[in-house]
Each structure stands twice: as C-alpha cells, then as structure tokens.
Amino acid sequence: MKEDVLDYIRKHPVWYVTLCHYPEKYDENLKFWRLDTLPFIPKEWKYEIIPAVQKQFNIVQALLQREDVEEIYNAGDSGREGEYIQRLVFMMAKPNPKAKIKRVWIDSQTEEEIQRGIREAKDASEYDSLSDSAYLRAKEDYLIGINFSRLLSITQGKNLAKQINEDKASISVGRVMTCVLGMIVSRELEIRNFVKTKYYKIVGEFGNVDSSFKAEWKTNPHSKVFENNCLYNETGFKKEEDAKKFILSLQGKEAQITELKKSKQKENAPLLFNLAEIQNECSKKFKIKPDETLEIIQNLCEKKLV
C-alpha cells in the first residue's frame, strides 16, 4: 500500500477546478461586450469543474467524502499555486468534515523526502495565509484580465483590426503577460534601432621578455581625459587619432601599481538539482521538453539511480 501511495503522489498532479472564465456565467446579459457593463466585479465568486477532468474529480471527491476517512494529507505542490489548487479541490469536493486535513510540504519527490513530508505534516490551517494570498492573486488576475481585455477591445479593437487587415480583433490583457510582452517589445525595439558604433580601446603590455601581461586602459577621475567629449565610454575613444594622441602623451612614463588586492575564496560544490532546475538545464543542454525530463527522472528514480 505504501508504494501505491508514493507512486500516486508522484504521478497525479491535480488541477480540477477553475474560476468561471466568462462573465455570462454570472449574468447572461454580460455575454455582450459593452462599456456600460464595466467594470465587472462579482459579489460572489463562482468556480467550476474543468469538464475534461470531471470523471477524475468525481473519483477524488468520493474518496474525500468517505465516512471512514479520519485524516486527509494534502500533497500538492509546495508553494502558493500548489496550495491554491488543492484548496479549490477541497472547496468543491467538500471532504468528510470529521476528517483532519494535514499539509505535506516537500522539496523533491524522492521516496525519503515524501516519507519525511508525511511524517512531519502540519495542520492545514497553518497555511491559511498562503492560501488567502493565492485566492487574492487569482481574483486579481481575473479582474484585470476580464475588465481590461474588454475595455481595450471595445475602444481599440477596430483600429487594431484595421492595422492587421482583419474584420475584427480582440485584445488580451493580463497582469503578468502584458508586462512581459511590454518588456519584450521594448527590448526588440532597442535591438532593431541599435546602431553599431566603432570605438578604439588602448591595450598596454607591461613587464619584460621573461614575464609580461596585458591590460586595458580605463579612465578614472585622475585622468586628464576624464569625462572628455573625445571618449566613447570609460574604456575607449570615439576617434582613432584621439586614442593615438593619448598614447603618445604616455611615452616615457612609467606605470605604477597603486593598489594590490589579494583574497582567498572558498567555492562550494554546486547544490543538487531540484525538479524545476533540472528541467530548465535539460531543455537548454539537450533540447528536450520538461515532461520528457520528468519521465526520464521518474524511470531513474524507480530504479534507485537518482
């Protein structure tokens, strides 16, 4: 039975419930997008079971409502979103009120870590603040998305449709996606408008035939060209002749070491991967999808290799 439970925890992440996406689920008249119905802020929030997983939800609900169940262990992802997902399930499934709900908080899905999480599980009420913040984040996302998407689609949709040669167009707005899209657009415009500028650095070689090193020149407040218009930046000149002129002004002068710093650093070995980090690394290095990485890790884990 123990192996069955551990295996189930690993293989069955749960997302069965979601906020009602469309305002018409609250009021049929809101099916039509009009300015006079904005802002839309429901007094009572409605949730619904995702149709594609209704059957699986019914199985989970039946288990949670069993009269002989005395304790329920919430083994959702250890984080705000994981807490939110499981709280939605409990809210809709209405578990046996006599059952005590405990929270399993784990950092990886190894057998030892799962067993530790179950052994040290705390009462679910200790995570109420985390749950409250998750519900607030979801409602905030919903309100921003619904209201601003409709507002901009109504006021700017025709202009956008004209620009892209379509009959009509809607504009999607999100608390996160709109900001990220703005950052991407700003960066893309910087790249497109970037003009290559050639500038000239000075590299000096110091020492003798037996031992020497090279170093790049960099201006400082004591330099006679500090903040001079002839500089492109603190390490180079706009014009080649200005750089050469400055080199000539240094002829016959000796370089002096004004400060020497030595330090010892202790560098620890890198920490082991967590699931998110190894998925990211495998995606970069081996070009494989996150779910493929998880499948490989799962197979290795079952063979006691990781």
Side-chain angles (χ1 to χ4, degrees):
M1 179 64 181
K2 182 191 74 172
E3 292 302 324
D4 291 342
V5 171
L6 295 178
D7 193 50
Y8 190 88
I9 288 173
R10 292 191 190 103
K11 293 181 178 178
H12 291 78
V14 182
W15 186 290
Y16 302 131
V17 187
T18 185
L19 271 168
C20 286
H21 283 299
Y22 303 107
E24 55 263 32
K25 292 289 183 87
Y26 295 84
D27 184 346
E28 187 65 29
N29 294 323
L30 295 174
K31 187 174 183 179
F32 304 99
W33 294 22
R34 300 198 311 268
L35 285 175
D36 60 3
T37 60
L38 298 176
F40 165 66
I41 305 176
K43 293 181 180 178
E44 180 183 352
W45 294 87
K46 293 185 178 182
Y47 298 83
E48 60 187 356
I49 309 300
I50 299 172
V53 292
Q54 179 73 57
K55 183 178 179 181
Q56 180 65 22
F57 174 81
N58 292 341
I59 294 172
V60 173
Q61 184 180 43
L63 291 170
L64 292 174
Q65 291 182 347
R66 275 171 44 171
E67 289 294 326
D68 60 339
V69 172
E70 297 178 357
E71 287 186 331
I72 297 170
Y73 284 80
N74 171 3
D77 288 347
S78 300
R80 185 178 67 178
E81 295 311 303
E83 188 68 22
Y84 176 62
I85 293 169
Q86 301 297 348
R87 293 290 181 119
L88 288 177
V89 173
F90 292 145
M91 180 182 71
M92 299 295 281
K94 297 179 174 55
N96 177 4
K98 297 178 183 178
K100 182 181 290 185
I101 299 177
K102 291 188 174 181
R103 182 61 159 104
V104 177
W105 197 273
I106 56 179
D107 294 323
S108 69
Q109 294 190 3
T110 62
E111 182 174 329
E112 294 78 10
E113 179 66 4
I114 292 173
Q115 288 179 338
R116 182 205 61 76
I118 294 173
R119 191 170 56 250
E120 299 176 5
K122 298 179 181 178
D123 190 88
S125 61
E126 295 198 29
Y127 296 88
D128 284 349
S129 294
L130 185 66
S131 170
D132 291 341
S133 72
Y135 271 93
L136 180 62
R137 194 278 308 154
K139 291 173 181 177
E140 179 188 20
D141 284 356
Y142 182 85
L143 292 175
I144 289 175
I146 289 292
N147 287 291
F148 283 96
S149 294
R150 290 195 169 201
L151 175 64
L152 289 177
S153 294
I154 293 169
T155 58
Q156 306 298 326
K158 288 183 178 179
N159 291 335
L160 175 60
K162 187 177 179 181
Q163 292 289 331
I164 60 177
N165 296 317
E166 296 287 344
D167 294 332
K168 55 183 179 180
S170 60
I171 301 171
S172 296
V173 177
R175 177 182 63 90
V176 176
M177 72 175 187
T178 302
C179 300
V180 174
L181 178 61
M183 292 163 61
I184 294 170
V185 170
S186 296
R187 182 60 179 153
E188 180 63 25
L189 289 175
E190 285 181 17
I191 293 170
R192 291 185 183 185
N193 296 328
F194 177 75
V195 178
K196 288 184 179 180
T197 303
K198 184 183 288 187
Y199 70 99
Y200 301 86
K201 288 186 171 186
I202 297 174
V203 179
E205 187 168 358
F206 303 88
N208 52 41
V209 178
D210 298 324
S211 177
S212 65
F213 67 93
K214 291 183 178 180
E216 287 188 1
W217 172 85
K218 180 180 177 181
T219 188
N220 63 69
H222 302 292
S223 173
K224 61 183 179 182
V225 294
F226 181 67
E227 293 185 341
N228 194 295
N229 288 332
C230 67
L231 295 179
Y232 174 75
N233 55 29
E234 62 181 8
T235 64
F237 292 79
K238 295 177 183 177
K239 297 179 180 180
E240 185 178 2
E241 53 265 33
D242 288 331
K244 288 180 176 179
K245 183 178 178 182
F246 184 74
I247 291 172
L248 289 174
S249 70
L250 300 177
Q251 295 298 320
K253 295 183 178 179
E254 290 186 352
Q256 292 183 340
I257 298 174
T258 57
E259 186 179 9
L260 180 63
K261 290 183 179 179
K262 292 183 178 181
S263 63
K264 288 185 179 180
Q265 289 185 329
K266 184 178 179 181
E267 189 171 329
N268 295 322
L271 297 175
L272 297 177
F273 284 111
N274 61 31
L275 285 176
E277 289 169 344
I278 199 167
Q279 285 174 292
N280 188 38
E281 186 71 14
C282 287
S283 179
K284 284 189 209 171
K285 192 168 286 186
F286 306 118
K287 311 300 180 188
I288 59 176
K289 296 178 182 177
D291 55 349
E292 292 181 71
T293 301
L294 285 181
E295 186 178 348
I296 293 168
I297 293 171
Q298 178 62 36
N299 290 332
L300 293 172
C301 185
E302 291 170 359
K303 295 172 184 175
K304 310 287 186 184
L305 294 175
V306 294

Short mmCIF file of all heavy atoms in Angstrom, two decimals, residues 132-183:
data_model
loop_
_atom_site.label_atom_id
_atom_site.label_comp_id
_atom_site.label_asym_id
_atom_site.label_seq_id
_atom_site.Cartn_x
_atom_site.Cartn_y
_atom_site.Cartn_z
N ASP A 132 -4.85 32.32 1.39
CA ASP A 132 -5.54 33.60 1.18
C ASP A 132 -4.84 34.43 0.11
O ASP A 132 -5.49 35.04 -0.75
CB ASP A 132 -5.59 34.41 2.49
CG ASP A 132 -6.52 33.77 3.52
OD1 ASP A 132 -7.38 32.95 3.12
OD2 ASP A 132 -6.39 34.09 4.71
N SER A 133 -3.51 34.45 0.15
CA SER A 133 -2.76 35.22 -0.85
C SER A 133 -2.95 34.63 -2.24
O SER A 133 -3.00 35.35 -3.24
CB SER A 133 -1.27 35.27 -0.49
OG SER A 133 -0.65 34.02 -0.69
N ALA A 134 -3.07 33.30 -2.32
CA ALA A 134 -3.26 32.64 -3.62
C ALA A 134 -4.64 32.96 -4.20
O ALA A 134 -4.77 33.24 -5.39
CB ALA A 134 -3.09 31.13 -3.45
N TYR A 135 -5.66 32.92 -3.36
CA TYR A 135 -7.01 33.27 -3.82
C TYR A 135 -7.05 34.72 -4.29
O TYR A 135 -7.65 35.05 -5.32
CB TYR A 135 -8.02 33.09 -2.69
CG TYR A 135 -8.62 31.70 -2.61
CD1 TYR A 135 -8.06 30.73 -1.78
CD2 TYR A 135 -9.74 31.35 -3.35
CE1 TYR A 135 -8.60 29.45 -1.69
CE2 TYR A 135 -10.29 30.07 -3.27
CZ TYR A 135 -9.71 29.13 -2.44
OH TYR A 135 -10.25 27.88 -2.36
N LEU A 136 -6.39 35.61 -3.54
CA LEU A 136 -6.36 37.03 -3.91
C LEU A 136 -5.66 37.23 -5.25
O LEU A 136 -6.14 37.99 -6.11
CB LEU A 136 -5.65 37.83 -2.82
CG LEU A 136 -5.55 39.34 -3.05
CD1 LEU A 136 -6.94 39.97 -3.12
CD2 LEU A 136 -4.73 39.99 -1.94
N ARG A 137 -4.52 36.53 -5.45
CA ARG A 137 -3.80 36.64 -6.72
C ARG A 137 -4.67 36.19 -7.87
O ARG A 137 -4.72 36.84 -8.93
CB ARG A 137 -2.52 35.79 -6.63
CG ARG A 137 -1.49 36.04 -7.71
CD ARG A 137 -1.77 35.32 -9.00
NE ARG A 137 -1.99 33.90 -8.80
CZ ARG A 137 -2.71 33.15 -9.62
NH1 ARG A 137 -3.27 33.67 -10.70
NH2 ARG A 137 -2.88 31.86 -9.37
N ALA A 138 -5.39 35.08 -7.70
CA ALA A 138 -6.22 34.56 -8.78
C ALA A 138 -7.36 35.52 -9.12
O ALA A 138 -7.66 35.76 -10.30
CB ALA A 138 -6.78 33.19 -8.38
N LYS A 139 -7.96 36.11 -8.09
CA LYS A 139 -9.07 37.05 -8.33
C LYS A 139 -8.56 38.33 -8.98
O LYS A 139 -9.22 38.91 -9.86
CB LYS A 139 -9.78 37.35 -7.01
CG LYS A 139 -10.55 36.15 -6.47
CD LYS A 139 -11.12 36.42 -5.08
CE LYS A 139 -11.87 35.19 -4.56
NZ LYS A 139 -12.38 35.38 -3.19
N GLU A 140 -7.39 38.77 -8.55
CA GLU A 140 -6.79 39.96 -9.15
C GLU A 140 -6.51 39.73 -10.64
O GLU A 140 -6.83 40.57 -11.49
CB GLU A 140 -5.49 40.30 -8.42
CG GLU A 140 -4.77 41.52 -8.99
CD GLU A 140 -3.41 41.72 -8.38
OE1 GLU A 140 -2.85 40.76 -7.80
OE2 GLU A 140 -2.89 42.85 -8.48
N ASP A 141 -5.91 38.58 -10.95
CA ASP A 141 -5.64 38.24 -12.36
C ASP A 141 -6.93 38.22 -13.17
O ASP A 141 -6.98 38.71 -14.30
CB ASP A 141 -4.98 36.86 -12.45
CG ASP A 141 -3.51 36.91 -12.06
OD1 ASP A 141 -3.00 38.01 -11.79
OD2 ASP A 141 -2.88 35.84 -12.02
N TYR A 142 -7.96 37.63 -12.59
CA TYR A 142 -9.25 37.51 -13.28
C TYR A 142 -9.85 38.89 -13.58
O TYR A 142 -10.26 39.18 -14.71
CB TYR A 142 -10.21 36.69 -12.42
CG TYR A 142 -11.57 36.46 -13.03
CD1 TYR A 142 -11.78 35.40 -13.91
CD2 TYR A 142 -12.64 37.29 -12.73
CE1 TYR A 142 -13.03 35.18 -14.48
CE2 TYR A 142 -13.88 37.07 -13.29
CZ TYR A 142 -14.08 36.02 -14.15
OH TYR A 142 -15.32 35.81 -14.71
N LEU A 143 -9.88 39.74 -12.56
CA LEU A 143 -10.49 41.07 -12.73
C LEU A 143 -9.72 41.92 -13.73
O LEU A 143 -10.32 42.60 -14.57
CB LEU A 143 -10.56 41.79 -11.37
CG LEU A 143 -11.54 41.19 -10.35
CD1 LEU A 143 -11.42 41.91 -9.02
CD2 LEU A 143 -12.97 41.28 -10.87
N ILE A 144 -8.40 41.90 -13.65
CA ILE A 144 -7.59 42.67 -14.60
C ILE A 144 -7.79 42.13 -16.01
O ILE A 144 -8.01 42.90 -16.96
CB ILE A 144 -6.10 42.62 -14.20
CG1 ILE A 144 -5.86 43.44 -12.94
CG2 ILE A 144 -5.22 43.14 -15.34
CD1 ILE A 144 -4.45 43.36 -12.39
N GLY A 145 -7.75 40.83 -16.16
CA GLY A 145 -7.90 40.23 -17.49
C GLY A 145 -9.24 40.50 -18.12
O GLY A 145 -9.34 40.94 -19.26
N ILE A 146 -10.32 40.23 -17.38
CA ILE A 146 -11.68 40.40 -17.92
C ILE A 146 -11.96 41.86 -18.25
O ILE A 146 -12.39 42.20 -19.36
CB ILE A 146 -12.73 39.89 -16.91
CG1 ILE A 146 -12.68 38.36 -16.83
CG2 ILE A 146 -14.12 40.36 -17.30
CD1 ILE A 146 -13.15 37.64 -18.07
N ASN A 147 -11.71 42.76 -17.31
CA ASN A 147 -12.11 44.16 -17.49
C ASN A 147 -11.26 44.90 -18.51
O ASN A 147 -11.78 45.60 -19.39
CB ASN A 147 -12.09 44.88 -16.14
CG ASN A 147 -13.24 44.45 -15.25
OD1 ASN A 147 -14.39 44.76 -15.52
ND2 ASN A 147 -12.93 43.73 -14.18
N PHE A 148 -9.95 44.76 -18.43
CA PHE A 148 -9.09 45.50 -19.35
C PHE A 148 -9.11 44.90 -20.75
O PHE A 148 -8.98 45.62 -21.74
CB PHE A 148 -7.67 45.59 -18.80
CG PHE A 148 -7.52 46.61 -17.71
CD1 PHE A 148 -7.59 46.24 -16.38
CD2 PHE A 148 -7.34 47.95 -18.02
CE1 PHE A 148 -7.47 47.19 -15.37
CE2 PHE A 148 -7.22 48.90 -17.02
CZ PHE A 148 -7.29 48.52 -15.69
N SER A 149 -9.28 43.58 -20.85
CA SER A 149 -9.38 42.97 -22.18
C SER A 149 -10.62 43.49 -22.90
O SER A 149 -10.58 43.84 -24.08
CB SER A 149 -9.43 41.45 -22.07
OG SER A 149 -8.23 40.94 -21.57
N ARG A 150 -11.72 43.55 -22.17
CA ARG A 150 -12.97 44.05 -22.78
C ARG A 150 -12.86 45.55 -23.08
O ARG A 150 -13.29 46.00 -24.16
CB ARG A 150 -14.15 43.78 -21.85
CG ARG A 150 -14.50 42.30 -21.75
CD ARG A 150 -15.86 42.06 -21.13
NE ARG A 150 -16.26 40.66 -21.29
CZ ARG A 150 -17.50 40.23 -21.23
NH1 ARG A 150 -18.49 41.08 -20.99
NH2 ARG A 150 -17.80 38.95 -21.38
N LEU A 151 -12.31 46.30 -22.14
CA LEU A 151 -12.20 47.75 -22.34
C LEU A 151 -11.38 48.09 -23.57
O LEU A 151 -11.81 48.86 -24.44
CB LEU A 151 -11.57 48.39 -21.10
CG LEU A 151 -11.26 49.89 -21.19
CD1 LEU A 151 -12.54 50.70 -21.34
CD2 LEU A 151 -10.48 50.35 -19.97
N LEU A 152 -10.20 47.50 -23.69
CA LEU A 152 -9.33 47.81 -24.82
C LEU A 152 -9.86 47.23 -26.13
O LEU A 152 -9.68 47.83 -27.19
CB LEU A 152 -7.92 47.30 -24.56
CG LEU A 152 -7.13 48.07 -23.50
CD1 LEU A 152 -5.77 47.44 -23.27
CD2 LEU A 152 -6.96 49.53 -23.89
N SER A 153 -10.52 46.09 -26.06
CA SER A 153 -11.10 45.51 -27.28
C SER A 153 -12.22 46.40 -27.82
O SER A 153 -12.35 46.59 -29.03
CB SER A 153 -11.65 44.10 -27.00
OG SER A 153 -10.60 43.22 -26.67
N ILE A 154 -13.03 46.96 -26.90
CA ILE A 154 -14.13 47.83 -27.32
C ILE A 154 -13.60 49.15 -27.88
O ILE A 154 -14.05 49.63 -28.92
CB ILE A 154 -15.07 48.11 -26.13
CG1 ILE A 154 -15.80 46.81 -25.72
CG2 ILE A 154 -16.10 49.18 -26.49
CD1 ILE A 154 -16.54 46.93 -24.40
N THR A 155 -12.62 49.73 -27.20
CA THR A 155 -12.15 51.07 -27.60
C THR A 155 -11.07 51.04 -28.69
O THR A 155 -10.96 51.98 -29.47
CB THR A 155 -11.58 51.82 -26.37
OG1 THR A 155 -10.51 51.05 -25.79
CG2 THR A 155 -12.67 52.02 -25.32
N GLN A 156 -10.28 49.96 -28.74
CA GLN A 156 -9.17 49.93 -29.69
C GLN A 156 -9.24 48.78 -30.69
O GLN A 156 -8.40 48.68 -31.58
CB GLN A 156 -7.84 49.81 -28.92
CG GLN A 156 -7.61 50.88 -27.86
CD GLN A 156 -7.55 52.28 -28.45
OE1 GLN A 156 -7.07 52.47 -29.56
NE2 GLN A 156 -8.04 53.26 -27.71
N GLY A 157 -10.24 47.92 -30.54
CA GLY A 157 -10.32 46.73 -31.39
C GLY A 157 -10.43 47.03 -32.87
O GLY A 157 -9.80 46.38 -33.71
N LYS A 158 -11.23 48.03 -33.23
CA LYS A 158 -11.41 48.38 -34.65
C LYS A 158 -10.11 48.87 -35.27
O LYS A 158 -9.78 48.52 -36.41
CB LYS A 158 -12.51 49.44 -34.78
CG LYS A 158 -13.91 48.91 -34.52
CD LYS A 158 -14.95 49.98 -34.74
CE LYS A 158 -16.36 49.44 -34.52
NZ LYS A 158 -17.40 50.47 -34.70
N ASN A 159 -9.40 49.72 -34.52
CA ASN A 159 -8.12 50.23 -35.04
C ASN A 159 -7.12 49.10 -35.24
O ASN A 159 -6.40 49.06 -36.24
CB ASN A 159 -7.54 51.26 -34.06
CG ASN A 159 -8.34 52.54 -34.04
OD1 ASN A 159 -9.01 52.87 -35.02
ND2 ASN A 159 -8.28 53.26 -32.93
N LEU A 160 -7.10 48.17 -34.28
CA LEU A 160 -6.18 47.04 -34.39
C LEU A 160 -6.56 46.16 -35.59
O LEU A 160 -5.68 45.75 -36.36
CB LEU A 160 -6.22 46.21 -33.11
CG LEU A 160 -5.39 44.92 -33.12
CD1 LEU A 160 -3.91 45.22 -33.35
CD2 LEU A 160 -5.56 44.14 -31.82
N ALA A 161 -7.84 45.89 -35.74
CA ALA A 161 -8.29 45.06 -36.86
C ALA A 161 -7.89 45.68 -38.19
O ALA A 161 -7.48 44.99 -39.13
CB ALA A 161 -9.80 44.88 -36.78
N LYS A 162 -8.00 47.00 -38.27
CA LYS A 162 -7.62 47.71 -39.50
C LYS A 162 -6.13 47.56 -39.77
O LYS A 162 -5.70 47.38 -40.92
CB LYS A 162 -7.99 49.18 -39.36
CG LYS A 162 -7.81 49.99 -40.63
CD LYS A 162 -8.28 51.42 -40.42
CE LYS A 162 -8.08 52.26 -41.70
NZ LYS A 162 -8.53 53.66 -41.50
N GLN A 163 -5.33 47.63 -38.70
CA GLN A 163 -3.88 47.54 -38.84
C GLN A 163 -3.44 46.16 -39.33
O GLN A 163 -2.48 46.02 -40.09
CB GLN A 163 -3.19 47.83 -37.50
CG GLN A 163 -3.33 49.27 -37.03
CD GLN A 163 -2.51 50.24 -37.86
OE1 GLN A 163 -1.48 49.89 -38.41
NE2 GLN A 163 -2.98 51.47 -37.97
N ILE A 164 -4.17 45.11 -38.91
CA ILE A 164 -3.76 43.74 -39.26
C ILE A 164 -4.65 43.16 -40.37
O ILE A 164 -4.61 41.96 -40.63
CB ILE A 164 -3.78 42.82 -38.02
CG1 ILE A 164 -5.19 42.75 -37.41
CG2 ILE A 164 -2.77 43.29 -36.99
CD1 ILE A 164 -5.30 41.79 -36.23
N ASN A 165 -5.47 44.03 -40.97
CA ASN A 165 -6.33 43.62 -42.09
C ASN A 165 -7.28 42.47 -41.75
O ASN A 165 -7.41 41.49 -42.46
CB ASN A 165 -5.46 43.22 -43.30
CG ASN A 165 -4.66 44.38 -43.85
OD1 ASN A 165 -5.17 45.50 -43.97
ND2 ASN A 165 -3.40 44.12 -44.17
N GLU A 166 -7.93 42.60 -40.60
CA GLU A 166 -8.93 41.63 -40.17
C GLU A 166 -10.27 42.34 -40.00
O GLU A 166 -10.33 43.56 -39.87
CB GLU A 166 -8.52 40.97 -38.85
CG GLU A 166 -7.24 40.14 -38.93
CD GLU A 166 -7.44 38.83 -39.68
OE1 GLU A 166 -8.62 38.42 -39.85
OE2 GLU A 166 -6.43 38.21 -40.08
N ASP A 167 -11.35 41.57 -39.99
CA ASP A 167 -12.69 42.15 -39.80
C ASP A 167 -12.86 42.68 -38.39
O ASP A 167 -13.47 43.73 -38.17
CB ASP A 167 -13.78 41.11 -40.10
CG ASP A 167 -13.77 40.71 -41.57
OD1 ASP A 167 -13.37 41.55 -42.40
OD2 ASP A 167 -14.16 39.57 -41.88
N LYS A 168 -12.35 41.94 -37.42
CA LYS A 168 -12.43 42.38 -36.02
C LYS A 168 -11.25 41.79 -35.25
O LYS A 168 -10.61 40.84 -35.69
CB LYS A 168 -13.75 41.94 -35.39
CG LYS A 168 -14.02 40.45 -35.46
CD LYS A 168 -15.39 40.14 -34.86
CE LYS A 168 -15.69 38.62 -34.95
NZ LYS A 168 -17.00 38.30 -34.37
N ALA A 169 -11.00 42.37 -34.09
CA ALA A 169 -9.87 41.91 -33.28
C ALA A 169 -10.16 42.15 -31.82
O ALA A 169 -10.81 43.13 -31.45
CB ALA A 169 -8.58 42.63 -33.69
N SER A 170 -9.72 41.23 -30.99
CA SER A 170 -9.83 41.40 -29.54
C SER A 170 -8.43 41.53 -28.97
O SER A 170 -7.46 41.01 -29.53
CB SER A 170 -10.56 40.22 -28.90
OG SER A 170 -9.88 39.01 -29.16
N ILE A 171 -8.32 42.22 -27.85
CA ILE A 171 -7.03 42.48 -27.22
C ILE A 171 -7.01 41.80 -25.87
O ILE A 171 -7.86 42.08 -25.02
CB ILE A 171 -6.78 43.99 -27.07
CG1 ILE A 171 -6.82 44.67 -28.44
CG2 ILE A 171 -5.45 44.25 -26.37
CD1 ILE A 171 -6.79 46.18 -28.38
N SER A 172 -6.06 40.91 -25.67
CA SER A 172 -5.94 40.20 -24.39
C SER A 172 -5.00 40.95 -23.47
O SER A 172 -3.89 41.31 -23.86
CB SER A 172 -5.43 38.78 -24.61
OG SER A 172 -6.35 38.02 -25.36
N VAL A 173 -5.45 41.17 -22.24
CA VAL A 173 -4.66 41.87 -21.24
C VAL A 173 -4.53 40.96 -20.02
O VAL A 173 -5.50 40.31 -19.62
CB VAL A 173 -5.31 43.20 -20.84
CG1 VAL A 173 -4.50 43.90 -19.73
CG2 VAL A 173 -5.44 44.11 -22.03
N GLY A 174 -3.34 40.90 -19.44
CA GLY A 174 -3.13 40.11 -18.23
C GLY A 174 -2.15 40.80 -17.30
O GLY A 174 -1.28 41.53 -17.76
N ARG A 175 -2.30 40.55 -16.01
CA ARG A 175 -1.44 41.20 -15.02
C ARG A 175 0.03 40.90 -15.28
O ARG A 175 0.89 41.78 -15.12
CB ARG A 175 -1.83 40.70 -13.62
CG ARG A 175 -0.96 41.26 -12.50
CD ARG A 175 -1.38 40.69 -11.16
NE ARG A 175 -1.21 39.24 -11.12
CZ ARG A 175 -0.09 38.64 -10.73
NH1 ARG A 175 0.97 39.35 -10.38
NH2 ARG A 175 -0.01 37.32 -10.70
N VAL A 176 0.34 39.69 -15.69
CA VAL A 176 1.73 39.30 -15.93
C VAL A 176 2.07 39.38 -17.41
O VAL A 176 3.07 39.98 -17.81
CB VAL A 176 2.00 37.88 -15.40
CG1 VAL A 176 3.42 37.45 -15.74
CG2 VAL A 176 1.78 37.82 -13.89
N MET A 177 1.21 38.77 -18.26
CA MET A 177 1.58 38.63 -19.67
C MET A 177 1.73 39.98 -20.37
O MET A 177 2.59 40.15 -21.25
CB MET A 177 0.57 37.77 -20.42
CG MET A 177 -0.77 38.40 -20.68
SD MET A 177 -1.78 37.29 -21.71
CE MET A 177 -3.18 38.35 -22.04
N THR A 178 0.93 40.97 -19.98
CA THR A 178 1.03 42.28 -20.63
C THR A 178 2.35 42.97 -20.28
O THR A 178 3.01 43.57 -21.14
CB THR A 178 -0.15 43.17 -20.23
OG1 THR A 178 -1.37 42.51 -20.59
CG2 THR A 178 -0.10 44.52 -20.94
N CYS A 179 2.77 42.86 -19.01
CA CYS A 179 4.05 43.46 -18.59
C CYS A 179 5.22 42.78 -19.30
O CYS A 179 6.14 43.45 -19.78
CB CYS A 179 4.21 43.33 -17.08
SG CYS A 179 2.93 44.13 -16.13
N VAL A 180 5.17 41.45 -19.36
CA VAL A 180 6.24 40.70 -20.00
C VAL A 180 6.30 41.02 -21.49
O VAL A 180 7.37 41.21 -22.07
CB VAL A 180 6.06 39.19 -19.79
CG1 VAL A 180 7.09 38.40 -20.59
CG2 VAL A 180 6.18 38.85 -18.31
N LEU A 181 5.12 41.09 -22.12
CA LEU A 181 5.07 41.45 -23.54
C LEU A 181 5.66 42.84 -23.76
O LEU A 181 6.40 43.06 -24.72
CB LEU A 181 3.62 41.40 -24.05
CG LEU A 181 3.41 41.79 -25.51
CD1 LEU A 181 4.17 40.86 -26.44
CD2 LEU A 181 1.93 41.79 -25.86
N GLY A 182 5.35 43.78 -22.87
CA GLY A 182 5.91 45.13 -22.97
C GLY A 182 7.42 45.12 -22.89
O GLY A 182 8.11 45.83 -23.63
N MET A 183 7.97 44.32 -21.99
CA MET A 183 9.42 44.20 -21.85
C MET A 183 10.05 43.63 -23.12
O MET A 183 11.09 44.11 -23.58
CB MET A 183 9.76 43.31 -20.66
CG MET A 183 9.39 43.91 -19.31
SD MET A 183 9.34 42.70 -17.97
CE MET A 183 11.02 42.13 -17.97
#
